[in-house]
Amino acid sequence: LYRRSRTEGFGDEVQRRIMIGTYALSAGYYDAYYLKAQKIRRLIQQDFLKAFEQCDVIAGPTAPSVAYALGAKQDPVAMYLGDIYTIAVNLAGLPAISAPCGFDTTYQGSTGKPLPVGLQLIGNYWSEAQLLSVVHQYQQETDWHLRRAPLAMNPESPDSAASSNSSTAREA
């Protein structure tokens, strides 16, 4: 049961990250990686605290690119780079939320359909209520959270054929 839940319940990317974390914390590597990472984490926290002296919320992109097409195979390095804007927030232990803020019609990937773009809002420590209030106000002024992207399936995905068949049936 344990093996099945870990192999079937987690995708390749999650399993890869778990293995890297396990390796980094294994005997002999604890001092080399973990203690240095803790020092860097503290520096990141201090940078955010300094920024929050001048603002209440930090806004930025959720990812350096639009969303991946559903079922698209991604290079593991590209997947790690896709997290570049959220990693520091997680390391610092800050509250953050991602909200839809539009569709990139110029970059449509292999699907030919516009793909969604995310806005990340970051709050200071213990400011979750304020952060939720800001995103609520944003959603009151925009309608991006009500819009849905056309299902952007990767044409090479096995799910793509099944999805297009079922959508054709729904339209009829």
Side-chain angles (χ1 to χ4, degrees):
L1 179 65
Y2 181 81
R3 178 181 293 246
R4 276 191 41 221
S5 70
R6 296 306 184 254
T7 56
E8 295 174 17
F10 296 138
D12 290 341
E13 184 60 26
V14 173
Q15 290 180 34
R16 189 176 299 113
R17 291 181 186 208
I18 289 170
M19 291 304 295
I20 290 170
T22 302
Y23 173 79
L25 292 175
S26 65
Y29 295 101
Y30 183 85
D31 290 340
Y33 294 112
Y34 185 74
L35 294 178
K36 286 182 183 177
Q38 287 293 76
K39 291 176 184 175
I40 292 170
R41 180 178 185 219
R42 185 66 193 145
L43 293 174
I44 292 169
Q45 290 171 327
Q46 290 171 349
D47 283 348
F48 274 111
L49 288 172
K50 189 173 182 179
F52 284 120
E53 290 174 3
Q54 299 182 21
C55 64
D56 295 324
V57 173
I58 298 171
T62 301
S65 65
V66 296
Y68 303 121
L70 190 60
K73 293 290 182 188
Q74 295 295 322
D75 172 43
V77 175
M79 296 285 286
Y80 290 126
L81 294 176
D83 293 339
I84 194 75
Y85 297 131
T86 57
I87 289 172
V89 176
N90 290 319
L91 287 174
L94 292 167
I97 191 167
S98 181
C101 67
F103 296 93
D104 187 346
T105 57
T106 59
Y107 179 80
Q108 299 175 1
S110 61
T111 65
K113 298 176 182 177
L115 297 172
V117 178
L119 168 69
Q120 178 179 211
L121 298 172
I122 306 164
N124 202 347
Y125 297 101
W126 309 108
S127 67
E128 288 85 350
Q130 180 185 40
L131 188 61
L132 290 170
S133 176
V134 170
V135 78
H136 176 72
Q137 290 301 315
Y138 172 75
Q139 289 181 338
Q140 296 300 305
E141 298 297 323
T142 67
D143 67 346
W144 293 116
H145 63 288
L146 300 174
R147 298 186 192 186
R148 298 289 179 258
L151 188 58
M153 295 289 288
N154 180 353
E156 298 170 9
S157 169
D159 297 331
S160 182
S163 175
S164 63
N165 291 340
S166 63
S167 65
T168 305
R170 281 191 299 259
E171 292 172 5

